[in-house]
């Protein structure tokens, strides 16, 4: 008949799809769509509960005679079905409904390892709709207040940065010291902090370490407010000492004697002693008691001579004021053991040294120094 021929002609010129019913999930469960006989494209509104309820759904008639969803803006991320594997090989099925850009869904920490079910005491799995697809953005599953994880600690110097696998803990986690540390038998302690409001687990923070009392340090030492040298100190145990030479100003100033010693204290490296000097015997005052004869009568007097810091050998000084011979000389010998000893006295006829003693001057302590730290 005429109707049959028209339908045949319609099929020859354009695809024709028979009416059908399609069920789809647009974010609020399955929704049924009744599609009538027809051809071309059918447009439907997004169902109630969709991420974008004002959006549209486009169905197109295929040459096969079946209706097919070709375009929709009811949601940004389609439904997700996948098997999620946790760190320990535990798995669980993840089913996420369609969502809009920025949506975040959380799943409980319940897993199966093939033999046993494990529901963690704390935490959750988090997924976010990002750029049209679901992304796994976080896992906080844990049976302790702080979950196991990884941390990198910097011991500086030759040891440098060390990567640790940190176990889960409720209060404190202890980690072994690197073998190259001054105290390889010590440990690093990390504290598990309180769980912040709105969070499932706490985070670790550094508490203490016994691997080294002092970190490698770079500093500048200044002597006599003029001469400088850089000092590099390694990691060290408590009370360990490091000795350095008395070469300053890039080698332009080299003290004749002494050394620089740094000591490791609980607060770090400290200058323990500096004996850098250009002398062997220090500044001292000689107290000299002398006997001499005036007009046939024996007299006793006491004088002081300031001895300047000096190298080994014999050093000459003028006689004390009031001596019988104002142009006379007194000589002192400086010995390698840093001591002074009186040698000769030529201060007038008949003068004899009855007693000579030495007193330390307050400014003869070997020269202190100031530290200017450049590194910790």
């Amino acid at each position: 008949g005429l109707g049959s021929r028209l339908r045949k002609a319609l099929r020859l010129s354009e695809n024709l799809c028979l009416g059908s019913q399609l069920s789809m999930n647009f974010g609020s469960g399955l929704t049924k769509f009744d599609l009538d006989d027809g051809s071309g494209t059918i447009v439907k509104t997004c169902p109630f509960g969709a991420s974008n309820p004002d959006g549209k759904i486009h169905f197109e008639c295929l040459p096969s005679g079946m209706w097919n969803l070709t375009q929709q803006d009811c949601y940004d991320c389609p439904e997700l079905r996948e098997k999620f594997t946790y760190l320990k090989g535990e798995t669980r099925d993840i089913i996420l409904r369609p969502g809009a850009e920025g949506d975040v869904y959380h799943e409980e920490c319940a897993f199966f390892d093939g033999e046993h079910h494990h529901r963690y005491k704390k935490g959750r799995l988090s997924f976010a709709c990002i750029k049209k697809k679901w992304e796994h953005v976080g896992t906080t599953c844990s049976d302790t207040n702080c979950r196991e994880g990884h941390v990198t600690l910097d011991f500086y110097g030759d040891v440098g940065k060390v990567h640790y696998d940190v176990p889960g803990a409720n209060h404190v986690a202890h980690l072994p010291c690197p073998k190259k540390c001054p105290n390889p038998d010590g440990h690093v302690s990390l504290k598990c902090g309180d769980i912040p409001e709105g969070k499932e687990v706490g985070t670790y923070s550094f508490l203490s370490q016994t691997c080294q009392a002092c970190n490698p340090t770079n500093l500048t030492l200044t002597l006599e407010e003029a001469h400088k040298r850089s000092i590099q100190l390694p990691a060290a145990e408590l009370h360990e000492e490091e000795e350095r030479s008395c070469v300053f100003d890039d080698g332009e100033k080299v003290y004749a004697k002494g050394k620089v010693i740094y000591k490791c204290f609980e607060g770090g490296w400290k200058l323990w002693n500096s004996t850098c000097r250009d002398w062997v015997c220090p500044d001292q005052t000689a107290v000299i008691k002398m006997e001499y004869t005036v007009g046939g009568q024996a007299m006793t007097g006491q004088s002081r001579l300031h001895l300047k810091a000096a190298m080994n050998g014999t050093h000459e000084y003028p006689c004390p004021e009031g001596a019988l011979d104002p142009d006379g000389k007194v000589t002192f010998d400086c010995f390698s053991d840093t001591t002074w000893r009186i040698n000769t006295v030529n201060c007038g006829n008949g003068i004899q040294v009855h007693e000579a003693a030495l007193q330390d001057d307050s400014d003869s302590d070997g020269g202190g120094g100031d530290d200017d730290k450049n590194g910790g």
Side-chain angles (χ1 to χ4, degrees), residues 10 73 137 240 347:
L10 184 60
D73 53 7
V137 294
E240 221 176 311
C347 295

Side-chain angles (χ1 to χ4, degrees), residues 57 71 84 107 147 225 229 255 272 289 302 332:
I57 307 169
Q71 182 182 342
F84 182 86
E107 295 287 336
R147 63 191 297 262
E225 299 182 355
R229 69 154 293 171
Y255 286 89
W272 181 241
K289 292 182 179 180
Q302 177 175 293
F332 287 83

Side-chain angles (χ1 to χ4, degrees), residues 290-302 322-324 347-352:
M290 296 180 294
E291 290 184 354
Y292 53 94
T293 302
V294 178
Q297 185 176 0
M299 305 290 290
T300 300
Q302 177 175 293
L324 296 179
C347 295
N349 293 332
I351 290 184
Q352 297 179 346

Side-chain angles (χ1 to χ4, degrees), residues 32-208:
K32 294 181 179 180
F33 293 93
D34 292 318
L35 303 178
D36 298 330
D37 293 345
S39 61
T41 301
I42 295 177
V43 180
K44 298 283 188 178
T45 59
C46 293
F48 176 79
S51 301
N52 178 22
D54 297 326
K56 303 295 181 182
I57 307 169
H58 298 258
F59 296 93
E60 183 179 352
C61 181
L62 299 179
S64 63
M66 302 293 293
W67 289 106
N68 182 58
L69 174 64
T70 58
Q71 182 182 342
Q72 63 83 26
D73 53 7
C74 302
Y75 57 79
D76 296 310
C77 292
E79 181 183 56
L80 174 68
R81 291 176 179 266
E82 72 173 21
K83 187 174 289 293
F84 182 86
T85 301
Y86 191 45
L87 294 175
K88 298 178 179 178
E90 300 170 324
T91 63
R92 65 154 296 157
D93 291 326
I94 299 294
I95 302 176
L96 302 178
R97 66 184 186 181
E101 184 76 14
D103 281 353
V104 178
Y105 287 163
H106 303 289
E107 295 287 336
E108 62 182 6
C109 293
F111 297 92
F112 182 65
D113 64 5
E115 295 183 4
H116 306 95
H117 290 278
H118 184 187
R119 185 184 297 273
Y120 287 85
K121 297 177 181 179
K122 302 174 181 294
R124 59 190 180 181
L125 303 172
S126 299
F127 298 84
C129 178
I130 303 173
K131 296 181 179 180
K132 305 294 184 180
K133 65 178 182 178
W134 289 107
E135 298 280 358
H136 172 230
V137 294
T139 298
T140 55
C141 302
S142 178
D143 284 324
T144 53
N145 289 342
C146 285
R147 63 191 297 262
E148 62 183 36
H150 310 282
V151 67
T152 300
L153 300 177
D154 196 344
F155 291 88
Y156 305 98
D158 293 336
V159 179
K161 293 182 179 180
V162 178
H163 304 285
Y164 283 101
D165 293 324
V166 185
N170 288 320
H171 303 291
V172 177
H174 297 292
L175 309 172
C177 291
K179 296 300 182 184
K180 292 183 178 180
C181 274
N183 180 22
D185 297 325
H187 62 265
V188 177
S189 297
L190 302 180
K191 179 183 178 182
C192 177
D194 296 333
I195 300 175
E197 185 177 352
K199 301 292 184 179
E200 296 79 33
V201 292
T203 55
Y204 281 116
S205 60
F206 178 79
L207 180 62
S208 63

